[in-house]
Amino acid sequence: MAATPAPALGPSLKHLAVHLLTPLLMCLGMALAYQGAFHQPEPHRLAVAVVGTNPQATGLAGAVQDKAGPALDVRTLATRADAERQLRDRELTGAFILDPKSPELIVARAGSDTSAMAAEAVFRTVATQQGVPLTVTDLAPTAAGDPTGQGLFFLLVALSIGSYGSVAAIGAAGAGLGMRVRALAGLATSLVVSVIGIVTAGPVFHVVDHDLAAVWAMGWLYSAGIVAIGTGLHTFLKRWTTLALMVLFVMLNFTTSGGIYRPELQNGFFGALHSFWNGAGFLEGARDVLYFGGGAGLGGRLAALALWLLAGLALLAGAGWYERRRAVDASAGARPVEAAAEEEMDEAVGV
């Protein structure tokens, strides 16, 4: 038996290089996204307040603003109640209450622990200059199972990976199925992903200790949007779909979600994406439900999640139309070939 000739080196190396392009682009994208978003967190218009209407409060607010410049947005508030209301509405990061012997800083760590720490650093310096200790009061402590406040972010990571990983499976194993069947499979898969997420975050690790149904519903909405977008994109991008989903739902998603740093500690690009990206929609929406009474902009976060899902449904509809059109064109192209073959057969038998 003759030995099979070895493939030519040049074409083989080209084939390998093409396949290595995807992971190398992933590496570049992750490096740019994560280092760009997290390498140098600095305050940008971090909203803080000094409570009081007397000259001392006004003077302190002005002095802090002058020293900090654009890093802080320092305002004065008349009463402690005003400060607590704005903290619960997530309009403030910290509120400083003047007291010659025992000054106090009020924060809401559940909104963002890193932002609260930044505010604490500012006013601890003020208290140190006055030679008195600073008391820090937290209006919105996190759940017992989430002392660092990062648990919801890790839930977001799990939902994201489960969702875009499912797209690859649906695209590969479901290639022979129609778009409607794949879309329904994606909807069912996103349901399973959301259930896994809420069960692990709730009863298992107690990151979510109440309002499980609301957080689960947002998780399903978030997951369904990713699966729908990915399934629709696969029709057009094929093997490049994974890279596209990594860009959308990892590189630009985790970095803008507010899980590590909220936009007031990031540069303008990532801070702007935070206002409408789907990861921020889920994470901030879950925080609003769990720690801020369902206010603080929850409606806008739900609207963002719904719009991402609608974009996915539009992609599915477009992909389904495109696949049907290709099938019709392929069928029309096959008929002349079949007719020619029949004519050749007739001539061969003398018809």
Side-chain angles (χ1 to χ4, degrees), residues 4-178:
T4 303
L9 181 60
S12 297
L13 287 176
K14 182 179 179 181
H15 182 72
L16 176 61
V18 169
H19 281 76
L20 283 173
L21 185 60
T22 296
L24 291 176
L25 287 174
M26 288 181 179
C27 176
L28 175 62
M30 293 290 284
L32 291 174
Y34 273 71
Q35 294 182 58
F38 300 143
H39 82 289
Q40 192 175 5
E42 293 180 342
H44 299 280
R45 309 297 299 175
L46 184 74
V48 295
V50 176
V51 177
T53 56
N54 55 37
Q56 291 84 356
T58 304
L60 176 61
V64 173
Q65 182 68 78
D66 291 341
K67 185 176 181 179
L72 298 180
D73 176 11
V74 186
R75 62 194 71 171
T76 56
L77 296 174
T79 66
R80 181 192 185 101
D82 292 334
E84 291 185 356
R85 177 184 56 77
Q86 290 197 20
L87 281 163
R88 290 195 172 95
D89 289 341
R90 306 186 71 182
E91 298 173 5
L92 274 183
T93 301
F96 183 73
I97 300 177
L98 276 169
D99 187 291
K101 296 182 180 180
S102 182
E104 180 184 7
L105 177 68
I106 311 172
V107 295
R109 293 194 184 279
S112 172
D113 186 59
T114 51
S115 295
M117 289 172 61
E120 182 178 339
V122 171
F123 289 105
R124 192 168 292 282
T125 300
V126 173
T128 300
Q129 291 173 347
Q130 295 174 349
V132 291
L134 177 67
T135 299
V136 180
T137 301
D138 186 5
L139 289 184
T142 55
D146 187 19
T148 66
Q150 298 296 310
L152 287 175
F153 175 67
F154 298 137
L155 171 58
L156 170 71
V157 172
L159 292 173
S160 304
I161 293 175
S163 300
Y164 76 73
S166 300
V167 170
I170 292 171
L177 300 173

Side-chain angles (χ1 to χ4, degrees), residues 220-234:
W220 188 10
L221 187 60
Y222 171 74
S223 177
I226 293 177
V227 175
I229 289 172
T231 303
L233 285 177
H234 188 268

